[in-house]
Amino acid sequence: MRVIKREIRIVGFDDGPFIPRSEGKAPVVGVVFRGGDFLDGVYKIDVKIDGMDATDVLIKIINQSKHKEQLRVIMLNGITIGGFNIINISTLYEKTGLPVIAINRKMPNLKNIKTALQNFDDFEERWKCVEEAGKIHKMKIEKNKNIYYQFKGLKQTEAESIIRLSCTRSLIPEPLRVAHLIASALVKGESRGRA
Amino acid sequence: MRVIKREIRIVGFDDGPFIPRSEGKAPVVGVVFRGGDFLDGVYKIDVKIDGMDATDVLIKIINQSKHKEQLRVIMLNGITIGGFNIINISTLYEKTGLPVIAINRKMPNLKNIKTALQNFDDFEERWKCVEEAGKIHKMKIEKNKNIYYQFKGLKQTEAESIIRLSCTRSLIPEPLRVAHLIASALVKGESRGRA
C-alpha cells in the first residue's frame, strides 16, 4: 500500500450496547466502506462479553467474506470490544494479511485498564495484547479535536491518510460511525449516540 | 413539499430473509438518509410473517423516532413485507403525516398476488390495501432500466425527483439499498444481494 486511493475498501467494527459483566454475548457489526463514501457490505457477529474470542471471531468473518479480496484495512473502535474482550491486533493483522487501525476518541487510561484486567485469571494474556498493540498516537482532526490511534501492518503516514479520508461526515471514520449506529439499533430498536 | 432539497431526510425500510409461510417474525431494518448521501440513523423492528401488523409497526417506530421532525418521506421496497404482510400506504401516510413511495424493481404481478392473497381468511382487507396503494407507475432510471413505484401524499413529479436524487450509488434508492444490506446481514452474518 503506497498511494492511498480515495476508494480504498475499509471494514470497521463496533459493538452494540450490552450489560457490563453479564454472561452472554455482545453484538458486533462490521461495515465495509469504499473510502468514506459508499457502503458496500455489512457483517453481524457476536463476541463473548469479557471473553477472549474477539480476535478469532474477527479473523474468521473477514477471511470468509466475499469482500476479502477488495479489503485493504481493518478499523476498530479501540482494541477492546464486548467489555474486556481484547483484540490482539498483531494476530489480526498476521492472520488476515490486512493492516489494522484502532481508533479512540479519548486517550485510553492504561492504568485503569490494567487494574480492571487484573481481575481476570488470564491477566497476563490480556495485558500482553494491550502492550503488543503498541504506542497510542495522537492526531489532530480539527481545531481542538484530537483522536488517538494504534496501528499494525502499515506506515504511520498511511494510517493517518486513511483516517483522514474516511472521516467524511464527522470526526470519526465513516465505517466506525455507521457500525456504531447499526449495532445500537439492533439492541435498542433505534440507533443512538454519535451520529 | 415544493422544492426537493438535496439533503431531504428519507427513511427506507426493507426486510431480511426469513422462511416463507413459517410462523414467527421477519426482521425489518429502517435507514434514515439525508438524500442519497449521509446515513443518519437506523431502526430494527420485526413484523409477523404473513401477518397484518406491518402498517402499525411502521407507524409506531416512525412516530416515536428522534428523527421524526426531520423526516420528509418514507420509502418502501414494495407494499408487502415479511411475506404477505401488506402495508396500507394511505394509513401510513395519514398516521405519520409523511408521504410514502413504494418502489419495485420489477412490475408486480397483481394477478399472482391476488391468487396468493385468496388463501387468507382476511383476503378482503389485504386486497383493499393493494387497491388503495393506487396505480403502479414506471420510471426510467437508465437506458433499458426501469423501476416501478406507487405513492401517497405527494405529487408524482415530487416522487420522481426524490427517487432520482436518492439513487446516488445504484439503480435503487440508497436508503433501500442499505436497509437491504443490513437486514440480510442480521440473518446471514454477511450482507447479500444487490449491493
Side-chain angles (χ1 to χ4, degrees):
Chain A
M1 185 158 51
R2 302 267 166 77
V3 177
I4 309 295
K5 287 187 191 161
R6 233 185 83 77
E7 295 252 307
I8 182 177
R9 299 296 202 288
I10 304 165
V11 57
F13 290 93
D14 199 6
D15 54 5
F18 58 90
I19 299 166
R21 294 182 218 179
S22 63
E23 296 284 315
K25 298 204 167 195
V28 173
V29 170
V31 177
V32 177
F33 258 85
R34 297 191 205 171
D37 284 327
F38 185 91
L39 193 157
D40 242 355
V42 180
Y43 310 105
K44 159 70 173 54
I45 50 180
D46 297 283
V47 300
K48 280 185 207 147
I49 295 167
D50 295 338
M52 271 297 277
D53 61 344
T55 310
D56 289 342
V57 169
L58 292 178
I59 290 166
K60 192 176 165 198
I61 189 86
I62 291 166
N63 283 342
Q64 281 178 349
S65 169
K66 66 178 180 189
H67 295 285
K68 177 69 196 286
E69 279 188 38
Q70 283 77 47
L71 289 177
R72 292 294 171 268
V73 61
I74 300 165
M75 274 193 182
L76 305 172
N77 181 17
I79 63 165
T80 63
I81 201 163
F84 287 103
N85 206 323
I86 300 180
I87 300 159
N88 186 321
I89 65 172
S90 298
T91 307
L92 184 57
Y93 163 53
E94 284 157 21
K95 294 282 177 69
T96 62
L98 295 172
V100 179
I101 307 171
I103 309 265
N104 288 284
R105 289 156 70 92
K106 291 180 184 172
M107 182 67 187
N109 185 327
L110 290 181
K111 206 173 149 189
N112 287 357
I113 293 170
K114 191 168 190 175
T115 304
L117 290 181
Q118 279 164 342
N119 293 318
F120 291 90
D121 291 338
D122 56 359
F123 164 73
E124 302 291 339
E125 191 192 341
R126 293 185 197 239
W127 186 245
K128 195 174 139 251
C129 293
V130 175
E131 286 189 325
E132 275 192 9
K135 194 185 160 196
I136 300 168
H137 300 270
K138 185 162 93 169
M139 178 178 167
K140 195 177 197 168
I141 294 285
E142 266 186 11
K143 207 188 164 192
N144 298 326
K145 269 289 176 186
N146 298 311
I147 62 165
Y148 302 85
Y149 69 96
Q150 292 159 290
F151 62 96
K152 287 287 167 198
L154 72 178
K155 290 181 195 164
Q156 187 174 357
T157 51
E158 293 172 326
E160 295 209 350
S161 295
I162 292 166
I163 294 169
R164 240 175 247 295
L165 77 79
S166 63
C167 287
T168 43
R169 306 291 178 182
S170 66
L171 301 175
I172 189 139
E174 197 64 1
L176 294 179
R177 186 184 72 83
V178 171
H180 174 83
L181 289 176
I182 297 170
S184 64
L186 294 194
V187 178
K188 301 287 185 186
E190 175 167 358
S191 51
R192 300 189 178 187
R194 43 167 209 244
Chain B
M1 186 158 47
R2 302 265 165 77
V3 177
I4 309 294
K5 286 186 193 164
R6 233 185 84 76
E7 295 253 307
I8 182 178
R9 297 300 201 287
I10 304 165
V11 59
F13 290 93
D14 199 5
D15 55 6
F18 58 91
I19 299 165
R21 295 183 216 178
S22 63
E23 297 283 316
K25 300 205 165 191
V28 173
V29 170
V31 177
V32 178
F33 257 85
R34 298 191 205 170
D37 282 329
F38 185 92
L39 193 158
D40 242 356
V42 180
Y43 309 106
K44 158 67 174 54
I45 50 181
D46 297 283
V47 299
K48 279 184 208 148
I49 295 167
D50 295 337
M52 271 298 276
D53 61 342
T55 310
D56 288 343
V57 169
L58 291 178
I59 290 167
K60 193 176 164 198
I61 190 85
I62 291 165
N63 283 342
Q64 282 178 350
S65 169
K66 66 178 180 188
H67 295 284
K68 177 70 196 287
E69 280 188 39
Q70 283 78 49
L71 288 177
R72 292 295 171 267
V73 61
I74 299 166
M75 276 193 181
L76 304 172
N77 181 17
I79 64 165
T80 63
I81 200 163
F84 288 102
N85 204 324
I86 299 180
I87 300 160
N88 186 320
I89 66 172
S90 298
T91 307
L92 185 57
Y93 164 53
E94 284 157 20
K95 294 281 175 70
T96 61
L98 295 173
V100 179
I101 307 172
I103 310 265
N104 287 286
R105 288 155 73 91
K106 292 179 183 172
M107 182 68 186
N109 185 326
L110 289 180
K111 206 172 146 191
N112 287 357
I113 292 169
K114 192 170 191 174
T115 305
L117 290 181
Q118 279 164 342
N119 294 318
F120 290 90
D121 292 340
D122 56 357
F123 164 74
E124 301 290 343
E125 191 191 343
R126 291 183 198 239
W127 187 244
K128 196 174 139 250
C129 292
V130 175
E131 286 189 327
E132 275 192 8
K135 195 186 159 195
I136 300 168
H137 301 269
K138 185 162 92 170
M139 177 179 170
K140 194 178 198 166
I141 294 284
E142 266 185 12
K143 206 185 165 195
N144 299 326
K145 269 288 176 186
N146 298 311
I147 63 165
Y148 303 85
Y149 67 97
Q150 293 159 288
F151 62 95
K152 287 288 166 198
L154 71 179
K155 292 181 194 163
Q156 188 176 356
T157 52
E158 292 172 326
E160 295 209 350
S161 296
I162 292 167
I163 293 169
R164 239 173 248 294
L165 78 77
S166 63
C167 287
T168 42
R169 307 288 177 182
S170 66
L171 301 174
I172 189 136
E174 197 62 2
L176 295 179
R177 187 185 70 84
V178 171
H180 174 83
L181 288 177
I182 298 171
S184 65
L186 294 193
V187 178
K188 301 288 185 185
E190 176 165 0
S191 52
R192 298 187 181 191
R194 45 170 209 247

